[in-house]
Amino acid sequence: MAPAGMLEIDKVTRRFGELTAVSEATLAIPGGQMVGIIGRSGAGKSTLLRMVNRLIEPTTGRVAFDGRDITQLRGRRLHSWRASAAMIFQQFNLVPRLDVLTNVLVGRLNRIPTTRALLKLFTARERALAIGALDRLGIADLALKRADTLSGGQQQRVAIARALMQEPRILLADEPIASLDPMNAKLVMDALRDINRRDGITVLCNLHTLDTARAYCDRIVGMAQGRIVFDGAPEALDEATVRAIYGTADRALDERITSTSIGAAALPAFARA
Amino acid sequence: MLAGFFPPDLSLSYLAALTVPLMQTISMAAGGMLIACLIGLPLAMFVGAQVRGARLAYGLLSGLRAIPDLTLAILCVVVVGIGPAAGMLALAIFYAAMIGKVFADLFLAADWRPIEALRSVGATRLMVAFYGLLPMTLTNLVSMGCYSFECAVRAAVIVGAVGGGGLGAELVGTINAFDYGRATTLIILLVIVVSALDSLSWLLRRHPRAVLLLIPLGLAALWANWPETLALRHAATTIGGMFPPALPLPALQALPRLLLETAFIAGAGTLLAAVLAVPLGLLAARNLVPAPVAMATRMLLEVLRAVPEVIWGLVLVTLVGVGPIAGVVALGLHSVGVLGKLYAEACENVRRAPVQALEATGARRLAVACYAILPLASAPVAIHTLFRLEWNLRAASVVGMIGAGGIGQALYNAQQLFFYDQMMAYVLITWAIVLLADALSDWTRRRLGWATVIA
């Protein structure tokens, strides 16, 4: 019997025509870990995450949670699974014309009956939960603004509040800071770590920057050309492995070139002067 | 003969008498659009949510939309009987298909990323449509809806001409009674109504919520136009009489000539329009001529455009007699209005830099026009003209129904003589022509990599 909250990805492959986006990926992630998946764009990170939420179907292989095969779920059960595997996206993906509060309440859609959803009748408790989620991320004052009037960092925090409303078991974050400036990137990563530590929710986070992964994650998974080429603690990640992941075999790799964090090393010389 | 159309009958008694047909036309459009929205919007959402069967539904919508509105009107008149109920039903079917397809296209073109996020939270397809598709496309839905309503009012006039009541029936009546002055009055009224609708849709676009006010109007219209008695048995026998569709040998032998005549009406009408639209378009371009000239030309184009082909056809049949020439001129006049405006915009939208470079050499206005503006505007002009040709191929197949030649005339004759099996055969042939024209222009567009232009 697998321990509680265990996510097992077993020889999962996804092909798009000729292209094999993910090839025989196998991972076992116990509940409560914070895992960073690193690799160049096109390495298959996004496809892997989407297969866990079932936005993309695996071509072969199997994904299981708590010992239950989730690749076979259909209909209502599939929707419930999606609700418990919340996603946040690089482009935030809020509905632009809706206000912030509604965008957060959307995270509750799986739990409320269709008629109530179509009439937009949310209970006082649901609204309070949504405000609470926004408050936790420090943006409760934005609740009644239209989502498309917010800055990128604010939008991503709204997206995290939406994910919290799902009361998920796992949080899948697909390049959550790739479209943000360093200050907002830190805010968002801190929020993800807080959710992981305080709520014990497993976080799987695609990152293309190595130093962020090192700073925040208990465990790092490296992907290259659809394959998992590294799986271990951040300390175990040596230069040769980094080269294999980022494919810079013949050049010395400076970790700082993949950086977006606010370390002094990441800033250009003129900014430090 | 032409002199008979002037002066228009502007007597108070006649204008007062026109309120009834005017209300009838507007209520046909409003009631038809309400039904169309009730059917078209859910269908579009069904397609937009990309559930199983969505492709099939989309195909059905495209197919249904290809039946010309006037053809539908004749079918409805035959089944429901003469009067606004038939017109309303025809408009409801035509615009349900149109709204369904156009809205589905908007939904399919919506940003997929928020949609993906909504799917990822475990929402059902219906909820995704409601929380994602609708709010994201609302502005476009309203403006396309307004545009459809404008088209529906114009269409309500022309379906009236084949037995749907309202202004169209009044127009046919006045022409049959040689009351040409009154015909002119009706055309002026139509121009006024169309431009009033233009301002209304401008207002609605700024206040999308006001669209809800149209619902009670539509309901009232439905109630007013509801057929008093539904002769179901009569309708069933009539529809039964249409099947199987068949053409007797002489009609079959005449078919190639009819098809050629229809193609001739479309081609010659477009050519006539293009030739006239070049000078008129230049005279309407604000960057080429003094403002008053451009304004005056624009107004002339606006009037030509506001009157649908079928209405021009009704007038021309009295002037030049029944036959394809009336069709050519009718299509030509309406298309001049459309093309002239588009040509003028093509001239106004050219890139400034090359024009300024030529002006900097000290070239005169005419030289600048010849060497910079016209060459730059020629590509959009060609695109608009080809689109118009496609449109006119559809128009040519229906304009015949009021006596302007081609296959439409054969269809109308069959209906008048109660040869419903022949009528149905012509309906199917007309439908095939439109589908073919659609497919051809789709193919051309893809081959040349042209973006869609909504004329």
Side-chain angles (χ1 to χ4, degrees), chain B residues 193-216:
Chain B
V193 168
V194 168
S195 57
L197 276 173
D198 226 22
S199 349
L200 177 73
S201 76
W202 183 78
L203 270 175
L204 285 181
R205 253 168 265 186
R206 295 192 55 196
H207 308 282
R209 271 165 211 270
V211 169
L212 295 176
L213 291 174
L214 293 178
I215 294 176

Side-chain angles (χ1 to χ4, degrees), chain B residues 21-156:
Chain B
L22 175 64
M23 294 310 280
Q24 232 173 33
T25 294
I26 290 178
S27 72
M28 257 197 283
M33 277 301 281
L34 184 67
I35 304 178
C37 287
L38 289 178
I39 301 171
L41 190 59
L43 266 176
M45 283 175 81
F46 179 76
V47 175
Q50 298 181 324
V51 286
R52 200 165 302 167
R55 270 168 177 276
L56 184 69
Y58 188 77
L60 280 177
L61 285 174
S62 310
L64 196 59
R65 201 177 76 106
I67 307 178
D69 44 7
L70 213 53
T71 312
L72 278 172
I74 285 204
L75 282 174
C76 292
V77 165
V78 167
V79 175
V80 190
I82 289 178
M88 193 172 72
L89 184 61
L91 293 176
I93 299 171
F94 185 76
Y95 284 96
M98 170 155 164
I99 282 187
K101 182 170 184 299
V102 171
F103 284 11
D105 283 336
L106 285 176
F107 289 153
L108 291 173
D111 185 1
W112 56 272
R113 289 173 307 191
I115 304 291
E116 187 185 35
L118 285 166
R119 288 180 59 212
S120 85
V121 309
T124 61
R125 302 253 184 194
L126 188 60
M127 293 178 184
V128 171
F130 221 76
Y131 280 83
L133 290 178
L134 270 188
M136 284 200 293
T137 52
L138 190 67
T139 327
N140 285 334
L141 291 182
V142 169
S143 68
M144 281 314 291
C146 286
Y147 174 69
S148 306
F149 188 60
E150 249 178 85
C151 296
V153 171
R154 249 175 297 188

Side-chain angles (χ1 to χ4, degrees), chain B residues 224-298:
Chain B
N225 289 338
W226 204 254
E228 283 165 23
T229 47
L230 268 177
L232 283 178
R233 186 171 299 171
H234 166 75
T237 32
T238 316
I239 294 173
M242 295 178 198
F243 294 95
L247 287 179
L249 195 62
L252 267 179
Q253 283 164 340
L255 195 58
R257 189 185 57 79
L258 285 177
L259 291 175
L260 269 178
E261 202 169 276
T262 303
F264 166 74
I265 295 173
T270 312
L271 186 67
L272 175 68
V275 167
L276 291 176
V278 168
L280 286 173
L282 292 181
L283 285 176
R286 277 172 283 222
N287 56 344
L288 290 181
V289 295
V293 178
M295 280 286 282
T297 318
R298 264 165 195 272

Side-chain angles (χ1 to χ4, degrees), chain B residues 132-424:
Chain B
L133 290 178
L134 270 188
M136 284 200 293
T137 52
L138 190 67
T139 327
N140 285 334
L141 291 182
V142 169
S143 68
M144 281 314 291
C146 286
Y147 174 69
S148 306
F149 188 60
E150 249 178 85
C151 296
V153 171
R154 249 175 297 188
V157 175
I158 66 170
V159 302
V162 295
L167 287 178
E170 177 70 20
L171 185 61
V172 173
T174 54
I175 287 175
N176 287 344
F178 307 108
D179 229 343
Y180 300 132
R182 291 188 167 180
T184 311
T185 315
L186 285 163
I187 290 174
I188 295 172
L189 183 62
L190 176 62
V191 173
I192 293 173
V193 168
V194 168
S195 57
L197 276 173
D198 226 22
S199 349
L200 177 73
S201 76
W202 183 78
L203 270 175
L204 285 181
R205 253 168 265 186
R206 295 192 55 196
H207 308 282
R209 271 165 211 270
V211 169
L212 295 176
L213 291 174
L214 293 178
I215 294 176
L217 177 67
L219 284 173
L222 273 184
W223 182 73
N225 289 338
W226 204 254
E228 283 165 23
T229 47
L230 268 177
L232 283 178
R233 186 171 299 171
H234 166 75
T237 32
T238 316
I239 294 173
M242 295 178 198
F243 294 95
L247 287 179
L249 195 62
L252 267 179
Q253 283 164 340
L255 195 58
R257 189 185 57 79
L258 285 177
L259 291 175
L260 269 178
E261 202 169 276
T262 303
F264 166 74
I265 295 173
T270 312
L271 186 67
L272 175 68
V275 167
L276 291 176
V278 168
L280 286 173
L282 292 181
L283 285 176
R286 277 172 283 222
N287 56 344
L288 290 181
V289 295
V293 178
M295 280 286 282
T297 318
R298 264 165 195 272
M299 275 180 62
L300 172 68
L301 293 172
E302 201 61 42
V303 170
L304 288 170
R305 199 165 61 94
V307 180
E309 295 96 338
V310 173
I311 303 300
W312 283 130
L314 279 171
V315 173
L316 285 157
V317 166
T318 66
L319 286 179
V320 303
V322 169
I325 297 301
V328 170
V329 182
L331 261 56
L333 283 179
H334 179 75
S335 297
V336 168
V338 177
L339 285 181
K341 178 167 177 263
L342 291 172
Y343 288 2
E345 277 166 14
C347 288
E348 287 167 3
N349 294 343
V350 296
R351 281 179 294 131
R352 284 296 301 154
V355 176
Q356 278 173 343
L358 224 73
E359 282 170 349
T361 66
R364 289 167 194 280
R365 275 181 99 97
L366 194 62
V368 174
C370 289
Y371 286 90
I373 297 179
L374 292 186
L376 286 169
S378 62
V381 161
I383 295 175
H384 291 311
T385 312
L386 266 174
F387 265 102
R388 208 58 215 165
L389 182 62
E390 179 212 338
W391 174 275
N392 280 344
L393 208 51
R394 294 155 163 266
S397 61
V398 298
V399 78
M401 291 181 206
I402 44 88
I407 193 130
Q409 194 165 350
L411 195 163
Y412 186 66
N413 291 342
Q415 186 239 352
Q416 291 292 299
L417 298 170
F418 304 107
F419 293 152
Y420 291 144
D421 53 344
Q422 292 187 33
M423 184 189 90
M424 197 60 193

Side-chain angles (χ1 to χ4, degrees), chain A residues 50 53 55 79 82-83 87 89 91 93-98 102 106 109-110 112 114 117-118 120 122 162 166, chain B residues 112-128 130-132 134-139 208:
Chain A
R50 279 170 171 72
N53 177 281
L55 282 173
H79 290 146
R82 283 188 177 149
M87 280 203 79
F89 302 84
Q91 297 295 333
N93 300 11
L94 303 180
V95 184
R97 292 183 58 98
L98 296 180
T102 313
V106 150
L109 284 179
N110 181 251
I112 66 177
T114 305
L118 296 192
K120 298 199 175 171
F122 293 97
R162 171 176 70 195
Q166 298 176 231
Chain B
W112 56 272
R113 289 173 307 191
I115 304 291
E116 187 185 35
L118 285 166
R119 288 180 59 212
S120 85
V121 309
T124 61
R125 302 253 184 194
L126 188 60
M127 293 178 184
V128 171
F130 221 76
Y131 280 83
L134 270 188
M136 284 200 293
T137 52
L138 190 67
T139 327

